[in-house]
Amino acid sequence: DVKVTQSSRYLVKRTGEKVFLECVQDMDHENMFWYRQDPGLGLRLIYFSYDVKMKEKGDIPEGYSVSREKKERFSLILESASTNQTSMYLCASSGEQGRYEQYFGPGTRLTVT
Amino acid sequence: SQKIEQNSEALNIQEGKTATLTCNYTNYSPAYLQWYRQDPGRGPVFLLLIRENEKEKRKERLKVTFDTTLKQSLFHITASQPADSATYLCALGRGAGSYQLTFGKGTKLSVIP
C-alpha cells in the first residue's frame, strides 16, 4: 500500500512566521502535489513537482514556495504566514507505473493567528 | 474558463437505494476523469478512473459513466449503506499525459438507515 505521511496533523503559527510543511511518500512516485482545501472552494493546487528539484506552479502559488531535494520528500514553505493561509493542507503523490490516481496524506490543519 | 460542477452540495438517500452523483464540466477536454471519497478530517481516497474512450467502469458496488459529448460523468453506488456516507469528489486530468488534476467541490452523501 502507498503511504503518504505529513509531518503534523495540527499546527498553530503566528502571522509573519516561516512555516514548513513536510510530506513523505514511500512508493518511489515521480509526482508530488500540494493542495489546500477550504470550505466552499474545494481542493486547489498550490504546487506540483514531477521530479527531484523540478517544480511547477499550480493555481494558487502566491505566498508559497516548495522544495524537493529527495524523491520521497516534498516540502511546502510559507515564507511569511498570513491569516488567509489558515487552511487544510493536503499532500499527494502519483506516478506509479504511469498511473494517474493520486494518493493523499492525512492533511495538516494550519491555523495562523 | 474551465469549470467543474458537482450537481449538489448534499444528497440524502435511503439505505439500500442507488445513489447517483453528477459531475459536469465545461471548457475541458479531459483525457480521464477520477472519483475520490473523502471522510471528515482525512485526505481523499481514490476510487475509480475512467478514460475518455471508455463509456463505463465498475468496481464492486460502484459504477462510473463518462459522456464526453454531454461533458458529464455519473457516479453510482448501488445498494447504498450508511458506511458509504462521505463527500465524493470528481477530478479531471488537465490534458493528455498530464498528472495534474482539477477537483470539483464535492457532494456530501448521507445514507440514512
Side-chain angles (χ1 to χ4, degrees), chain B:
Chain B
S1 62
Q2 296 173 330
K3 205 172 177 184
I4 302 174
E5 281 188 356
Q6 294 192 239
N7 63 327
S8 52
E9 285 189 20
L11 180 67
N12 297 328
I13 192 160
Q14 208 71 35
E15 182 177 4
K17 302 289 187 185
T18 296
T20 299
L21 284 64
T22 305
C23 178
N24 295 297
Y25 59 93
T26 54
N27 298 323
Y28 261 113
S29 295
Y32 59 86
L33 186 147
Q34 302 183 20
W35 285 88
Y36 288 78
R37 169 184 174 138
Q38 187 174 23
D39 292 289
R42 293 177 176 262
V45 174
F46 170 75
L47 296 174
L48 281 166
L49 179 149
I50 187 164
R51 297 180 190 271
E52 60 180 335
N53 59 350
E54 297 175 315
K55 295 289 186 190
E56 183 179 297
K57 206 88 172 271
R58 290 178 187 258
K59 180 182 173 183
E60 298 171 354
R61 294 184 296 110
L62 308 180
K63 184 178 88 170
V64 173
T65 63
F66 194 12
D67 189 327
T68 55
T69 303
L70 289 179
K71 295 187 182 294
Q72 181 181 80
S73 174
L74 299 179
F75 176 78
H76 307 273
I77 306 174
T78 58
S80 58
Q81 304 165 1
D84 295 325
S85 298
T87 296
Y88 292 87
L89 308 171
C90 76
L92 274 64
R94 296 192 182 192
S98 173
Y99 286 91
Q100 295 186 57
L101 297 175
T102 301
F103 283 84
K105 293 178 183 176
T107 296
K108 185 175 180 181
L109 175 68
S110 298
V111 180
I112 302 159

Side-chain angles (χ1 to χ4, degrees), chain A residues 49 51-55 67-70:
Chain A
S49 170
D51 202 348
V52 175
K53 297 190 189 294
M54 306 304 285
K55 61 186 179 187
S67 171
R68 192 158 179 209
E69 296 296 319
K70 293 186 177 182

